[in-house]
């Protein structure tokens, strides 16, 4: 097989040490022609949905993972190459008289033990002559980094590796499937031709040839998708004992259920344990993965690591809404959305100047408190895939209009599931807007590593005392959760009071 006729694209780490991803949808099918950097698959990581481009050009030979599969980083997901040569069976040797065929394909006693037959493919793990040895997409390079970009690694032909000397003396180094097929065919010709003088026996005993030329090599790894391999591992099943009925002879879950033998068990169907459901009972189960899995881990870690304290404040935000109405009539703000969240974001950034303790991080390993000069403001967003908290970088230096534009772009991207993983890291202070659901307030859990998070409740009319008289005003409840290791009650109370004061009287901003 040509060394470049079949390229395997392994799932790369798309950023920040992710270990797995779920295949959401394929943008290509077997037989399609793809080009370098063409989007071929959409995956969902623990942080967001990401589109992956192809690092290779050619024809899609095989999709090695299905939508819904959870695949580990570094596992193969697609094969791309030339369909004319990639998986074609090895042709039989040229037609000739078997009695005159030369047994030169096998090592003789004059050859060193373990020498590789001339013309055979390199042993497993060895690059072909002229093939670049730089890391491919999803593979570790010489420096240990995972290649995630097209063009990563040395150029083809610039790196060469000299032939490795095999220390083994019991058998030749493992040949490729094509070499085994060719050798078994030559051996069959030699045995079936009576009267043909046999070549001198090799210095060491040979492994017996496969029973048929179509049988896989004994050392070949059975083809199976990662979920099937995991199920087989959990059940103690050896996949090499099963015959695959899937594409390319791959082993499917049905093959595993139909013919597997559990370790220590008896032959029979292997069924994944399923919790029985009472007839007529309503129950639906979904695997915990993706954003939901990452959110759960983060919330548990935060809740049982940082000592949470939550304080509440009800604010008359009628002046804030009056200011919003005036600004909407100006040319500067006519084309942007001025929601209460925009004003809360501005108030949080201003109040953090007076109480820097809420914009800090507890470094347990270094036993230090890290105070930030910048505010990377996290905005909690509810999406179809779960809760995400993308960040507005350097929010402390933005004007009200710039914050409004950043919020609109951030929320639209998050709800579409297109937030890059890097945009959900490195937050210093967060806001969650539970008021959009009609909720008065709540007790928010801190994002891991942050010192405070503000919950913005529903903005609604309520009776309120103004200058000793009962009136109907527009009010909003605020809730601030903070890490009591970093923020004392006095500091947390002052910060919450400052945010409330700015929303109740936006003119106070000029005093900050």
């Amino acid at each position: 097989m040509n060394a470049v006729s079949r390229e395997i694209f392994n799932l790369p780490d798309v950023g920040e040490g992710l270990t797995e991803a779920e295949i959401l949808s394929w943008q290509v099918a077997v037989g399609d022609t793809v080009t370098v950097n063409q989007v071929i698959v959409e995956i969902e990581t623990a942080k967001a949905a990401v589109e992956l481009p192809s690092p290779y050009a050619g024809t899609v030979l095989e999709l090695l993972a299905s939508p819904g599969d959870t695949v580990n980083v570094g596992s193969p997901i697609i094969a791309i190459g030339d369909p004319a040569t990639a998986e074609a069976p090895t042709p039989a040797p040229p037609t000739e008289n078997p009695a005159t065929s030369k047994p030169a394909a096998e090592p003789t006693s004059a050859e060193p033990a373990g020498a590789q037959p001339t013309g055979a493919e390199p042993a497993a793990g060895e690059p072909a002559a002229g093939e670049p040895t730089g890391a491919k997409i999803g593979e570790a390079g010489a420096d240990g980094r995972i290649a995630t970009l097209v063009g990563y690694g040395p150029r083809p032909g610039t790196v060469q590796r000299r032939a490795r000397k095999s220390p083994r003396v019991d058998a030749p180094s493992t040949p490729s499937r094509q070499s085994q097929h060719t050798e078994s065919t030559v051996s069959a010709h030699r045995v079936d031709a009576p009267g043909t003088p046999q070549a001198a026996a090799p210095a060491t005993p040979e492994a017996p040839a496969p029973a048929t030329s179509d049988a896989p090599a004994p050392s070949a790894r059975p083809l199976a998708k990662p979920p099937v391999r995991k199920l087989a591992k959990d059940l103690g099943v050896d996949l090499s004992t099963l015959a695959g009925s899937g594409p390319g002879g791959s082993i499917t879950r049905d093959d595993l259920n139909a013919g597997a033998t559990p370790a220590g068990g008896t032959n029979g169907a292997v069924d994944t344990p399923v919790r029985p459901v009472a007839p007529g009972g309503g129950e639906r189960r979904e695997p915990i993965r993706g954003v939901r899995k990452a959110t759960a881990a983060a919330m548990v870690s935060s809740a049982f690591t940082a000592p949470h304290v939550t304080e509440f404040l009800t604010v008359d935000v009628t002046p804030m809404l009056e200011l919003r109405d005036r600004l909407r009539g100006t040319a500067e703000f006519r084309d942007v959305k001025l929601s209460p969240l925009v004003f809360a974001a501005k108030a949080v950034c201003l109040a953090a100047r007076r109480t820097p303790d809420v914009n800090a991080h507890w470094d347990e390993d270094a036993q230090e408190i890290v105070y930030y000069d910048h505010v990377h403001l996290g905005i909690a967003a509810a999406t179809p895939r779960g809760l995400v908290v993308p960040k507005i970088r350097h929010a402390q230096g933005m004007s009200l209009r710039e914050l409004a534009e950043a919020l609109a772009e951030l929320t639209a991207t998050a709800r579409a599931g297109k937030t890059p993983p890097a945009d959900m890291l490195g937050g210093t202070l967060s806001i969650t807007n539970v008021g959009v659901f009609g909720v008065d307030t709540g007790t928010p859990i801190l994002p891991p590593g942050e010192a405070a998070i503000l919950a913005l409740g529903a903005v609604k009319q309520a009776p309120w005392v103004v200058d000793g008289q009962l009136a109907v005003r527009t009010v909003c409840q605020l809730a601030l959760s903070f890490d009591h290791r970093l923020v004392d009650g006095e500091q947390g109370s002052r910060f919450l009071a400052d945010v409330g004061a700015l929303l109740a009287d936006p003119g106070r901003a000029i005093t900050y």
Side-chain angles (χ1 to χ4, degrees):
M1 183 177 68
N2 191 312
V4 295
S5 61
R6 179 183 174 93
E7 296 285 4
I8 300 297
F9 179 27
N10 297 328
L11 178 68
D13 177 0
V14 294
E16 309 304 333
L18 298 174
T19 60
E20 64 182 19
E22 178 186 349
I23 304 295
L24 290 181
S25 63
W26 285 103
Q27 308 301 316
V28 296
V30 174
D32 289 354
T33 300
V34 298
T35 58
V36 173
N37 285 335
Q38 174 183 337
V39 174
I40 57 175
V41 64
E42 184 180 19
I43 64 172
E44 182 183 28
T45 70
K47 301 180 182 299
V50 180
E51 293 179 338
L52 295 183
S54 172
Y56 309 116
T59 301
V60 177
L61 303 176
E62 187 177 2
L63 302 180
L64 303 176
S66 301
D69 288 351
T70 299
V71 183
N72 293 329
V73 169
S75 298
I77 59 174
I78 189 173
I80 299 174
D82 181 359
T85 59
E87 286 296 335
T90 305
T95 304
E96 59 182 36
N97 186 349
T100 62
S101 57
K102 298 180 180 181
E106 295 184 351
T108 65
S109 58
E111 294 177 334
Q116 182 170 292
T118 303
E121 281 192 342
E126 289 293 326
E131 183 180 354
T133 58
K136 298 177 182 177
I137 299 300
E139 298 178 356
D143 58 357
R145 295 182 298 157
I146 300 296
T148 58
L149 300 175
V150 175
Y152 179 94
R155 297 178 179 177
T158 61
V159 180
Q160 295 183 353
R161 183 184 295 175
R162 63 184 181 184
R164 181 177 60 184
K165 294 182 180 180
S166 174
R168 297 181 59 186
V169 296
D170 55 340
S173 58
T174 305
S176 65
R177 184 179 300 178
Q178 180 179 356
S179 302
Q180 293 174 339
H181 181 101
T182 304
E183 291 184 7
S184 62
T185 305
V186 174
S187 300
H189 279 282
R190 189 165 55 247
V191 172
D192 294 341
T196 303
Q198 299 292 326
T204 57
E206 287 187 29
T212 64
S213 59
D214 293 333
S219 61
R221 187 186 185 198
L223 294 178
K225 294 178 180 178
V228 177
R229 293 189 184 278
K230 184 178 185 303
L231 177 58
K233 181 180 179 181
D234 293 342
L235 298 174
V237 176
D238 184 359
L239 290 178
S240 64
T241 62
L242 304 179
S245 61
S250 62
I251 298 171
T252 65
R253 186 181 292 267
D254 290 339
D255 297 331
L256 188 61
N257 289 337
T261 301
T266 58
N267 289 333
V270 178
D271 296 323
T272 304
V274 178
R275 180 180 176 181
V277 179
E283 182 174 296
R284 179 171 60 92
R285 288 174 171 261
E286 293 182 0
I288 302 172
R289 57 193 177 194
V291 174
R292 174 59 58 195
K293 183 177 181 179
T295 301
M299 294 299 97
V300 170
S301 173
S302 177
F304 291 96
T305 300
H308 284 55
V309 174
T310 304
E311 294 185 341
F312 306 91
L313 178 66
T314 303
V315 181
D316 177 7
V317 294
T318 304
M320 178 196 77
L321 296 181
E322 293 173 347
L323 173 62
R324 182 184 67 172
D325 292 339
R326 292 196 302 271
L327 292 176
R328 281 176 172 174
T330 65
E332 181 182 359
F333 291 94
R334 189 170 296 136
D335 59 341
V336 296
K337 181 181 179 181
L338 285 176
S339 66
L341 180 59
V342 176
F343 288 90
K346 185 65 176 178
V348 163
C349 292
L350 291 174
R353 294 181 186 174
R354 290 163 53 105
T355 311
D357 306 84
V358 300
N359 192 45
H361 167 66
W362 181 278
D363 190 337
E364 182 68 29
D365 294 335
Q367 286 295 291
E368 295 175 341
I369 297 176
V370 182
Y371 294 94
Y372 298 108
D373 296 328
H374 57 268
V375 176
H376 290 342
L377 188 62
I379 305 296
T383 73
R385 294 187 175 92
L387 175 69
V388 296
V389 189
K391 319 299 178 190
I392 299 177
R393 306 289 176 185
H394 301 287
Q396 82 285 351
M398 291 185 176
S399 66
L400 190 66
R401 178 186 172 88
E402 289 171 337
L403 278 173
E405 292 173 337
L407 274 170
E409 180 181 357
L410 176 148
T411 53
T413 303
R415 287 169 183 163
K418 303 297 183 182
T419 303
D423 285 357
M424 287 188 278
L425 301 172
T428 63
L429 190 57
S430 292
I431 302 177
T432 177
N433 185 12
V434 298
V436 295
F437 307 110
V439 176
D440 289 338
T441 191
T443 55
I445 297 178
L446 292 167
E450 297 184 20
I453 179 172
L454 179 77
L456 182 66
V459 176
K460 60 184 183 181
Q461 290 186 331
W464 197 263
V465 177
V466 180
D467 297 330
Q469 300 294 322
L470 189 63
V472 176
R473 305 286 284 183
T474 303
V475 300
C476 174
Q477 290 193 37
L478 307 176
L480 178 73
S481 292
F482 52 87
D483 185 344
H484 216 336
R485 296 174 301 177
L486 286 158
V487 183
D488 296 333
E490 184 268 337
Q491 297 162 334
S493 299
R494 183 175 65 235
F495 174 78
L496 181 59
D498 284 345
V499 172
L502 288 166
L503 296 179
D505 183 8
R508 294 187 56 156
I510 62 176
T511 66
Y512 279 64

